[in-house]
Amino acid sequence: MEERRGLAFWVLALFFTLFVLFLYGPTLTILVLSFQGPEGGLTFPLQGVSTHWYRTLWDGVGVVDIWAAFRRSVKLGLVVMLLTTLISLLAGYAFRRRFPGQSLLFHLTVASLIVPSIVVSLGIALEFRLIDDAVKAWAEAHEVAWLADYATAMGLFTSGLGAHLTWTLPFGLLIMFAVFNRFPAQLEEAARDLGASPWQVFRHVVLPLIGPSLVGVALFGFTLSWDEIARTSQAIGDSNTLPLELQGLTTTVTTPEIYALGTLTTGVSVLVIGLSFGAIALWRRLRAAR
């Protein structure tokens, strides 16, 4: 006999439905409106269906070089992804053994998630301004000719990279800590008893087991960097990333071209997520084949 659903079930089902609509509704709305016809505006109804605004986006948005910002965001995201994955792996390995200051270091790292992003951005910007002032004062005092044209150390792969790592590293570290906390250490001991070197233990025992988790850390690293605005806003220097350009265009662009750009950025995130799931599936298939 089929069990009847109680009132609580339908209330929770309604709440979940509203939550899904609230979560994905804006994204789907922007996706639909990005295909407005040439005469279409920023709201419904659709004035035809076309890829006109994507073609316009491809040609450039006014004085803003969207594709240069796109390339900067991709480059920065890839560097952040690689560093987040590498540092998280090494830190996870190191935290398996106790060392002085371990607890303090852990809490300092995770504290970055609690501090407001705009405060972090302002702090990094201030720090680099102090560095600039110190470098200029030193160059002037010692008459260093090759620093005469020095402007600032702030940039995409200095202050911008540091700002993004303060956001991505805590997530990567927490994932790797969780992975290594439940890692079967007896497998490593068995490999060492069989004569395996430390590198062989890592290569043939540890890495195959933690591989999918590393893919997850890489996914976090890229997507968090790709979408970051607050921590980038004050610390990036003169070269804006794509999210910053998109934020600036919301006050100047009055056509569905802005929706096409938003759909493009979302599409990149979805593509990265899809590639990550594909990499995890391939990793598991290769392990099973062995």
Side-chain angles (χ1 to χ4, degrees):
M1 183 177 178
E2 185 177 353
E3 183 181 356
R4 294 185 60 185
R5 304 288 190 183
L7 177 62
F9 171 83
W10 296 110
V11 171
L12 291 174
L14 177 62
F15 175 80
F16 178 75
T17 302
L18 293 175
F19 170 75
V20 172
L21 288 175
F22 179 81
L23 185 64
Y24 295 105
T27 302
L28 294 176
T29 301
I30 289 176
L31 172 63
V32 173
L33 288 174
S34 69
F35 290 98
Q36 279 268 32
E39 304 300 325
L42 294 175
T43 59
F44 290 102
L46 288 174
Q47 302 296 323
V49 178
S50 73
T51 58
H52 170 78
W53 300 110
Y54 288 94
R55 292 195 299 270
T56 304
L57 177 65
W58 181 261
D59 295 334
V61 184
V63 297
V64 178
D65 192 346
I66 288 297
W67 298 110
F70 180 88
R71 290 189 293 271
R72 284 193 292 268
S73 287
V74 171
K75 292 176 183 178
L76 181 59
L78 291 175
V79 174
V80 170
M81 177 187 72
L82 292 174
L83 289 178
T84 300
T85 305
L86 179 61
I87 296 174
S88 298
L89 172 62
L90 296 178
Y93 232 77
F95 269 78
R96 300 179 72 188
R97 297 183 180 180
R98 293 193 174 277
F99 57 87
Q102 182 185 54
S103 179
L104 176 62
L105 180 60
F106 170 76
H107 287 95
L108 285 176
T109 303
V110 177
S112 178
L113 298 177
I114 303 172
V115 180
S117 295
I118 190 63
V119 174
V120 174
S121 181
L122 287 170
I124 292 175
L126 177 60
E127 179 183 13
F128 272 81
R129 288 191 181 97
L130 293 174
I131 292 174
D132 292 339
D133 291 341
V135 170
K136 291 176 182 177
W138 183 85
E140 184 177 351
H142 294 81
E143 298 181 352
V144 182
W146 58 274
L147 285 176
D149 297 329
Y150 176 85
T152 179
M154 291 182 65
L156 189 69
F157 295 109
T158 53
S159 55
L161 176 60
H164 282 215
L165 287 176
T166 63
W167 182 233
T168 61
L169 268 179
F171 287 101
L173 291 174
L174 290 175
I175 292 174
M176 294 314 300
F177 290 166
V179 170
F180 280 120
N181 279 342
R182 53 188 175 84
F183 189 86
Q186 61 269 25
L187 296 179
E188 296 173 274
E189 295 174 1
R192 285 192 289 267
D193 290 342
L194 293 173
S197 65
W199 168 249
Q200 289 174 324
V201 172
F202 174 77
R203 170 66 180 83
H204 297 289
V205 178
V206 178
L207 188 59
L209 293 176
I210 67 172
S213 300
L214 289 178
V215 174
V217 172
L219 172 62
F220 265 106
F222 184 86
T223 54
L224 290 176
S225 171
W226 174 256
D227 296 327
E228 179 56 39
I229 290 181
R231 296 185 185 229
T232 315
S233 59
Q234 306 297 319
I236 198 66
D238 296 330
S239 301
N240 284 343
T241 57
L242 187 59
L244 288 175
E245 295 288 9
L246 180 58
Q247 184 185 41
L249 290 173
T250 57
T251 60
T252 58
V253 177
T254 57
T255 66
E257 191 172 358
I258 192 72
Y259 295 152
L261 179 57
T263 302
L264 174 66
T265 59
T266 303
V268 171
S269 297
V270 173
L271 176 63
V272 171
I273 293 172
L275 290 175
S276 299
F277 279 114
I280 292 174
L282 179 61
W283 190 291
R284 289 174 175 170
R285 181 172 296 182
L286 291 176
R287 280 186 58 197
R290 291 180 181 179

